[in-house]
Amino acid sequence: PLPGTQPLEMEGDIAFAMIDGVDRFLLRKIDQAAEKRPSFWQPDYRSPEAYQKSLEPNRQRLAHILGVRDKRAKVDGFELVATTKQPALVGRGAGYQVLAVRWPAFADVCAEGLLLVPEGREPVADVVAIPDADLQPEQLVGLMEGVPPECQYARRLAESGCRVVVPTLISRQMTHRSVEGRRGALLTHREYLYRSAYELGRHLIGYEVQKVLAAVDGLLHEQDNTGHPNKPNTSVPQAALSDRKIGLIGWGEGGLLALYAAALDIRIHAVCVSGYFTDRRTIWQEPIDRNVFGLLEQFGDAELAAMVAPRSVIIEAAKSPELELPGQGGAPGRLTTPALQTVRREWERTGKLIEPLRPKPMFRLVESDNGAGPYASPAALEAFLQALRPGSQLAPLGEVPKKLAAGFDPEARLARQIYQIDRHNQQLLAESPYVRQKFMSKLDFSSLEAYEKSAAEYRRFFYEEVIGRFDDELLPPNPRTRKAYQTSTWTGYEVVLDVWPDVIAYGLLLVPNDLKPGQRRPVVVCQHGLEGRPQHVIGKEMYGAYKAFANALAERGFVVFAPQNLYLGGDRFRTLQRKANPIKKTLFSIITPQHQQILNWLRSLPFVDGSRIGFYGLSYGGKTAMRVPALLTDYALSICSADFNEWVWKNASTRSPYSYVWTGEYEIFEFDLGSTFNYAEMAALIAPRPFMVERGHFDGVAPDETVAYEYAKVRHLYAARLHLPERTQIEWFVGPHTIHGQGTFDFLH
């Protein structure tokens, strides 16, 4: 071993052992997140009004992470969808009409669906009946096959005298997404829209919640003009509303949306959630379009249901939508019916959260055939109706409504919905540079000291709100090493350090053989890319990309450390991101402390100059070069190779063939970077330390013009604002996605 360290005795693949340890760590943190939720849950139980008011911060946080940020459009009523060949009246049932409608939701995005209107009588209640993502509104009404009559809850409620709106959801249908003839990843429609939205601080869930709440706006407008057009309404007093109450009901994805929408908006009097309610600690196994950054930090399903109180909640334990997504380019995922005992435990948690509230709200758990029976059971629908209009009864199942629409194409309607959301995402992308400019406007350029002080607050925000920071103290490093390489110019050691329980750091240390006693040398940390290993940066394997640049730097006299990062093993590492996101963390929430421990240990070595430790990373290592040195000021400089570009555009564009929207890197998207930190903003956190970009003209990461566009902002920062032009460079070379190792080596020297 290296003098001063213990012998390294680990056998097998240490890199995968590291990944498996991080997996155990994150699963443990998911469990711990539930234990910490009480610190976010402190309602005022003195009265129902005080309770609702005290939960406003929780609603604001929920709206933020769901991306419910865009101003809702004013809804003056529901627009009839008709043509010269087909009137808006598309069906007629026992005592009600079925109309094809649309209504504005936000920006220029409209919702579409059906409106069921009682004939000849005042509605008993107003209801938004939300289908699962793979059901058409017509199936919940009986105008299309695929749903048993007893499960057609929109139809049953209309037969019972309710006015019912049934919105269209984005489906889980899978398709190969492509641009300019390039065949891309096999994605569901939902994941396709989720990817761009997530990067821009929005979410498909939030968009569809907005559509549901816009339907509530429309229903209230037609009652008595008390609907609030701008946001989830938490201020309209109950007395100001019509006697006719508003309810939400949904199954599967519809249940998810009903629960979120009711938690956000107190105008909703009752909610019925079917086939969705359970313990969410395995949310990382569900389709990725349900991935909400930081959800489990504050909200399980129990907390969401408790936020509806003192209004009424009916949970139906019933068979859920079930599917398996293969992950052929998109994220793997599955939906299953939760065990009844799991539903009961989560329901019991809800009861404890609302126990002090007086008077007791109507909260009811309905079990359909031991939790696996048909959804929309009579017991659930009757409880829902009683919550909306005491004394009302569920009508017997009537005749199948008469279909009056000929040649209706639900795919055309779905295509319109997908197009509008995609267009909105792309408009947000175009606007995002101005949003980030405003966000970064508090940087102080009056002096270098003032700049560093103001940047420190942005660094804190980047770590805590974007990357995600664990509060755990680092363990003593307990270095274990063994000699693995011997050349004429340097000696190489495998190194393992402790970081946290189950979390280690692993890498290779290259020590020049010509070190003199008492001499301290600078260090270059050389970071591999996607599916790489430290061994790739020193030898012939993967030479085309890495050019053995760690070896070359050691031969120049630098001490070199080549860490193993987490991005190895395909889904094996990508699911780490899935597990980290719901607790407001990312892969870099682990990678950054690993690097901090590496820095701590390197600075303790007698032959290392701790003030001169630089970072140099290729590809995914370039992503690390933008994030880790931005967070860890112990790095004296950073070089980003074969990665620097207009990062938000690369993640969110559905026009560019360079975009990650078309690839299998489903873990790559980071929540709300569009509003906060693109690569120029990350570089601003590295400044005033030296920063360099290495760029091959034929690198497929991005075209030259977007690299130059983003780097121009960095150059302006260093040269024009900080007056340190010598501390930043970009080297262009004729070559592909590879280390060039010329201008960067000069920069390091």
Side-chain angles (χ1 to χ4, degrees), residues 80-88 404 406:
L80 300 179
V81 179
T83 69
T84 54
K85 291 184 178 181
Q86 174 61 55
L404 302 177

Side-chain angles (χ1 to χ4, degrees), residues 91-99 114-129 137 140-143 149 151-166 249 381 384-385 388 392-401:
R92 177 171 271 118
Y96 63 93
Q97 295 180 340
V98 184
L99 302 169
L114 300 177
L115 176 64
L116 284 61
V117 183
E119 291 187 291
R121 57 173 172 167
E122 276 294 308
V124 168
D126 283 332
V127 173
V128 183
L140 290 191
V141 177
L143 296 178
C151 295
Q152 295 169 8
Y153 47 92
R155 170 188 168 191
R156 298 295 307 275
L157 291 167
E159 291 172 343
S160 302
C162 296
R163 182 170 58 159
V164 183
V165 178
V166 192
I249 182 172
L381 294 180
F384 183 56
L385 279 171
L388 291 172
S392 58
Q393 294 184 342
L394 182 67
L397 190 63
E399 298 255 338
V400 177

Side-chain angles (χ1 to χ4, degrees), residues 18 27 75 83 131 194 208 237 296 330 407 435 450 475-476 500 628 691 747:
M18 180 185 80
L27 289 174
V75 185
T83 69
Y194 153 87
E208 293 190 324
L296 297 183
V435 176
L475 295 172
W500 291 318
V628 171
F691 173 73
F747 191 71

